Amino acid sequence: MIAFVKQKINALKQSRFLQLNAVKKELKKKSKHIRNSVRLPALTPKDGELIERIKEKTERLNANNVTRTTAYYDFYCRHPEIHWALLGHMVSRNGGWNMTDLKGELLSRLLSEQEQKEFFHFLERGNWLIFQDVYPQFLLYEESLKRKENLFYLLPYFHVSTFMETMWNHFMKRGDRYSLAMALIINEQNYLEQRVICNEYYRKTVLQTIEFKMQDILSLNQILFPCYRDMKNTTSTTVMVGQTLHHFASLHDRILLGKRLYSVIFNDPDVSRCITDWAADHPHTASRKDYWPHLFNDVNESLPGVPYKRKTDHCRLREHAAKIYSPSLRYVWNHVEHDKAEVGDWFKDWKVIVYFLDPKEQVNGEIYDAYCETLEKIELAVMAKTALFKRYDEKTNVL
């Protein structure tokens, strides 16, 4: 990590991001004068009303993964210059699919009821935290455009990092879409770090469990972006682009993943269009049927009590096989009443801006084969567990 930072700082001096020099100076100054408590600016009645309105709307749309995911997309449609809104929408779709997988046909056979609940609350807490941090920023931006004035001095009232106040001010002056997207990636992952990843409860119940470590082995941390095969014909087959994260607990790796995912979506305007068009045609339900109805169904077609038999062959349904059960979120998980988000600013070191550097690497997003292999591995794991318990039952009955 230290070598990475040194390398990037040296590259920064030679890069096209010299326009960020003012940002660097401001962040340097802030990192030298970090205070635990920030004196909030005085509020006018108009600003006080705005803050309450934003808090109410954010809380209402933060009900569950489906409402959050939809809110991101709706905001992106209104403000396509805010690239993170589309990235957040697509990643949040994946969060929803992961949540319903826990009650779907495959993972529900591998995890106990308690493990399913713990994994869900881990995913739900992270999804909820990010939305309640980022969505007020979006609404402040929207109101700033309406009033034709910069309102980001109000960010402290939402406990948003001072890092983002600097970056939004930079965006309002220069309209630098890439840097704002990178800033939001950095901010949201750092925001999660102490509240979820380093949280002792989640470390014990999720991150340190054998089941979670198995995700690396099975490559379950795949982020899928569905899009149309023929970008000019929206009746075409849905295909996948995306990336795989192998070290979820690593802040550095999660930020780099965010950068790669951004590149997958925005480096090619045709890919951006095909993903956006697909999202417009497929309201999010959190069932994997959303993108591949030929393979998944939100109705369980399998007979109860029958041992699991392999259903897929390179993402195609085997002959006479029932579709894989992948339920909609509303039928398997209730709304969660969350504790208030922990207050505190993660920003300590201005050197995080090294992540603004464009890696200049080609990220093609090819993930189809890896995803198909993952499905097959999970099926084999389910079959192996079924066979193991069958042998155990037979041995027990004999004894």
Side-chain angles (χ1 to χ4, degrees):
M1 179 62 182
I2 295 176
F4 171 85
V5 170
K6 287 183 178 179
Q7 176 190 0
K8 294 304 182 183
I9 288 176
N10 289 332
L12 190 65
K13 296 175 181 177
Q14 308 296 326
S15 76
R16 65 184 178 88
F17 287 100
L18 291 176
Q19 60 176 288
L20 287 173
N21 193 46
V23 168
K24 183 178 75 171
K25 287 181 179 179
E26 184 174 339
L27 291 177
K28 264 187 171 182
K29 183 178 179 181
K30 285 183 174 181
S31 63
K32 290 178 181 178
H33 302 284
I34 295 169
R35 293 178 295 176
N36 291 328
S37 59
V38 178
R39 185 178 180 182
L40 298 178
L43 285 178
T44 65
K46 188 176 181 180
D47 284 347
E49 181 185 338
L50 172 63
I51 288 170
E52 291 307 311
R53 193 164 71 246
I54 288 176
K55 286 182 177 179
E56 185 279 327
K57 186 172 184 179
T58 300
E59 183 177 356
R60 175 164 46 85
L61 294 177
N62 206 4
N64 57 53
N65 171 264
V66 172
T67 58
R68 293 168 207 134
T69 307
T70 303
Y72 288 141
Y73 180 76
D74 290 344
F75 182 85
Y76 179 74
C77 290
R78 299 195 301 271
H79 301 287
E81 69 275 16
I82 309 300
H83 287 177
W84 190 96
L86 179 59
L87 175 62
H89 168 76
M90 297 307 298
V91 172
S92 190
R93 277 187 183 257
N94 280 264
W97 296 329
N98 289 334
M99 290 175 187
T100 58
D101 282 347
L102 297 168
K103 293 292 186 181
E105 188 163 1
L106 299 176
L107 292 190
S108 65
R109 296 172 183 256
L110 295 175
L111 301 173
S112 69
E113 194 77 24
Q114 183 61 29
E115 288 167 338
Q116 292 169 33
K117 289 180 181 178
E118 288 168 348
F119 272 67
F120 168 72
H121 283 285
F122 171 77
L123 295 168
E124 165 66 14
R125 182 65 175 175
N127 203 236
W128 181 88
L129 280 168
I130 287 180
F131 188 87
Q132 65 85 41
D133 181 71
V134 77
Y135 202 69
Q137 299 178 52
F138 288 172
L139 295 182
L140 270 182
Y141 171 69
E142 200 162 50
E143 188 66 19
S144 294
L145 296 182
K146 289 178 183 177
R147 295 192 191 181
K148 297 182 179 179
E149 61 175 308
N150 187 334
L151 297 174
F152 288 107
Y153 62 87
L154 296 175
L155 282 177
Y157 283 95
F158 302 98
H159 305 292
V160 174
S161 174
T162 185
F163 170 80
M164 284 312 305
E165 184 177 357
T166 297
M167 296 314 303
W168 276 109
N169 289 337
H170 174 72
F171 177 76
M172 296 296 281
K173 291 177 183 176
R174 293 184 173 269
D176 186 348
R177 301 179 182 190
Y178 175 85
S179 292
L180 180 65
M182 293 303 106
L184 286 165
I185 290 170
I186 294 165
N187 179 67
E188 299 316 323
Q189 292 308 320
N190 275 281
Y191 186 78
L192 284 183
E193 185 70 4
Q194 292 300 320
R195 293 165 177 83
V196 176
I197 307 302
C198 294
N199 181 286
E200 191 62 27
Y201 174 77
Y202 292 121
R203 290 189 74 84
K204 287 182 179 179
T205 59
V206 177
L207 294 170
Q208 293 177 353
T209 64
I210 294 175
E211 288 82 4
F212 191 85
K213 292 174 181 176
M214 280 292 289
Q215 293 196 45
D216 276 353
I217 299 172
L218 295 176
S219 297
L220 297 186
N221 292 322
Q222 287 163 337
I223 309 296
L224 308 175
F225 294 162
C227 64
Y228 292 119
R229 184 185 300 278
D230 182 351
M231 298 168 195
K232 298 179 181 178
N233 180 3
T234 57
T235 63
S236 296
T237 305
T238 297
V239 296
M240 299 293 162
V241 292
Q243 289 284 294
T244 299
L245 173 65
H246 289 292
H247 303 289
F248 186 86
S250 166
L251 171 62
H252 176 64
D253 286 354
R254 294 197 312 276
I255 292 174
L256 293 184
L257 172 70
K259 293 185 63 170
R260 294 197 304 274
L261 292 172
Y262 177 89
S263 296
V264 169
I265 298 178
F266 291 103
N267 275 5
D268 185 336
D270 287 335
V271 174
S272 303
R273 195 176 307 115
C274 88
I275 291 174
T276 307
D277 289 346
W278 182 90
D281 288 346
H282 297 81
H284 179 58
T285 72
S287 168
R288 292 188 182 271
K289 179 185 177 182
D290 289 349
Y291 60 83
W292 272 355
H294 73 279
L295 195 58
F296 299 98
N297 197 357
D298 53 2
V299 175
N300 197 342
E301 300 178 357
S302 298
L303 296 173
V306 176
Y308 188 85
K309 294 183 179 179
R310 186 173 162 188
K311 296 184 175 185
T312 70
D313 187 359
H314 206 66
C315 290
R316 294 182 184 275
L317 203 62
R318 289 189 162 193
E319 191 174 1
H320 305 305
K323 294 178 182 178
I324 300 171
Y325 176 51
S326 177
S328 299
L329 184 81
R330 61 177 176 160
Y331 294 121
V332 291
W333 293 115
N334 296 324
H335 290 191
V336 175
E337 291 293 328
H338 287 269
D339 293 334
K340 287 186 177 181
E342 300 88 338
V343 176
D345 193 341
W346 62 267
F347 176 71
K348 300 290 187 295
D349 190 346
W350 67 270
K351 296 185 182 69
V352 294
I353 65 172
V354 298
Y355 288 110
F356 290 138
L357 282 171
D358 187 342
K360 300 187 184 303
E361 61 177 321
Q362 293 298 317
V363 182
N364 61 22
E366 176 58 47
I367 203 169
Y368 177 82
D369 290 337
Y371 178 46
C372 295
E373 289 176 11
T374 292
L375 277 178
E376 292 171 7
K377 286 179 181 178
I378 300 172
E379 285 193 291
L380 291 174
V382 170
M383 293 166 63
K385 184 173 182 178
T386 301
L388 179 64
F389 275 94
K390 182 180 178 182
R391 287 197 298 270
Y392 177 79
D393 289 342
E394 289 173 350
K395 185 177 180 181
T396 303
N397 290 334
V398 169
L399 293 174

